[in-house]
């Protein structure tokens, strides 16, 4: 049964799922969802995700939503395919899980606000709120200090191997590293090297290629 990902490639959450599938060398069908016309709030999409948010995911008769739940399903179910994205050791798994939580609870809220203000708003002809940008730049700087300390200890957040904890950051990093806040990452050498590593991965390049189609 074919894997299907429902949603537009410009969505960071959709990119997160697609990057995981690319790391696993899995075939899938990308089903477009026109959010400008509100298709994500209507049938048939609303049957796949009752919250009306992208992405939605199908693997045979299994239907999922929430991008991080989807990536974990893919990593566990297709563990023998492509890149191993999960540690086998329980302690390493726990460390990875900590940093997955940090991404979801701390990094993503800040990154999403900055991305909206300095990337999305200009694209839509809207005015950037400089106060919101300044507030979140300060928050991001403090958070990246914690990342810098962690990445002095290991190449990746979960240890010496690339895992979902790193992959989950890729969409926001992609947008932020193309903006003025790139300087916050560049000022921290271990964070900067980590970003460069993640964004240079072949699976991420393939994800970006798909977003340009």
């Amino acid at each position: 049964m074919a894997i299907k990902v429902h949603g537009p490639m410009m969505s960071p959450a959709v990119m997160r799922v697609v990057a995981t599938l690319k790391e696993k060398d899995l075939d899938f069908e990308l089903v477009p969802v026109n959010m400008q016309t509100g298709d994500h709030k209507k049938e048939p999409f609303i049957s796949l995700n009752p919250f009306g948010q992208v992405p939605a995911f199908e693997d045979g008769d299994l239907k999922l939503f929430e991008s991080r739940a989807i990536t974990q399903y893919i990593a566990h179910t297709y563990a023998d395919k492509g890149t191993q994205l999960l540690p086998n050791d329980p302690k390493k798994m726990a460390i990875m899980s900590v940093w997955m939580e940090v991404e979801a609870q701390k990094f993503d809220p800040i990154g999403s606000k900055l991305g909206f203000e300095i990337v999305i708003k200009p694209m839509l002809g809207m005015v950037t709120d400089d106060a919101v940008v300044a507030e979140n730049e300060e928050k991001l700087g403090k958070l990246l200090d914690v990342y810098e300390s962690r990445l002095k200890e290991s190449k990746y957040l979960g240890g010496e191997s690339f895992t979902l904890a790193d992959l989950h950051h890729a969409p926001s990093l992609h947008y932020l590293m193309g903006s003025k806040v790139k300087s916050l990452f560049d000022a921290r050498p271990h964070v900067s090297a980590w970003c460069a590593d993640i964004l240079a991965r072949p699976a991420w390049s393939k994800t970006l290629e798909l977003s340009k189609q």
Side-chain angles (χ1 to χ4, degrees):
M1 300 287 277
I3 294 173
K4 295 181 180 181
V5 180
H6 300 257
M9 277 302 300
M10 66 174 286
S11 160
V14 173
M15 294 172 85
R16 192 175 289 122
V17 171
V18 169
T20 306
L21 290 166
K22 290 294 185 182
E23 288 283 358
K24 286 295 182 183
D25 293 322
L26 294 170
D27 293 328
F28 64 95
E29 178 186 353
L30 185 64
V31 182
V33 176
N34 191 332
M35 297 180 72
Q36 290 181 318
T37 57
D39 287 0
H40 56 305
K41 301 294 186 182
K42 307 171 188 172
E43 293 291 357
F45 184 85
I46 206 76
S47 293
L48 296 171
N49 185 346
F51 295 106
Q53 296 174 312
V54 295
F57 176 88
E58 296 180 86
D59 189 3
D61 60 358
L62 178 68
K63 296 175 174 58
L64 298 173
F65 52 90
E66 294 296 340
S67 64
R68 295 169 185 83
I70 296 168
T71 63
Q72 290 179 75
Y73 164 78
I74 295 167
H76 282 285
T77 304
Y78 299 98
D80 60 335
K81 305 285 187 182
T83 307
Q84 175 59 263
L85 296 171
L86 301 169
N88 291 319
D89 179 78
K91 290 183 179 179
K92 290 180 179 178
M93 179 74 82
I95 293 170
M96 181 201 73
S97 296
V98 166
W99 287 96
M100 285 171 61
E101 287 293 321
V102 171
E103 184 277 329
Q105 304 296 334
K106 301 186 186 300
F107 181 86
D108 190 60
I110 297 170
S112 294
K113 287 178 182 176
L114 285 169
F116 180 67
E117 290 293 339
I118 60 183
V119 180
I120 304 301
K121 274 190 172 182
M123 290 170 53
L124 299 176
M126 299 168 67
V127 178
T128 297
D129 188 328
D130 292 335
V132 172
V133 172
E135 178 188 350
N136 284 280
E137 281 181 330
E138 182 179 358
K139 289 180 179 178
L140 180 61
K142 291 178 180 178
L143 180 61
L144 291 180
D145 285 340
V146 178
Y147 276 59
E148 181 71 7
S149 295
R150 170 59 188 162
L151 292 166
K152 285 178 182 177
E153 300 174 2
S154 59
K155 184 177 181 180
Y156 297 102
L157 292 174
E160 294 306 316
S161 299
F162 178 81
T163 67
L164 287 180
D166 308 291
L167 184 150
H168 284 181
H169 288 78
S172 287
L173 289 179
H174 167 69
Y175 285 117
L176 294 176
M177 293 297 279
S179 77
K180 68 170 188 168
V181 300
K182 180 178 185 290
S183 61
L184 293 174
F185 294 88
D186 292 344
R188 296 159 175 85
H190 293 87
V191 169
S192 180
W194 171 73
C195 290
D197 184 296
I198 291 172
L199 298 179
R201 293 185 67 82
W204 183 249
S205 297
K206 292 174 184 176
T207 302
L208 293 181
E209 286 172 15
L210 193 57
S211 70
K212 295 173 183 175
Q213 294 179 6

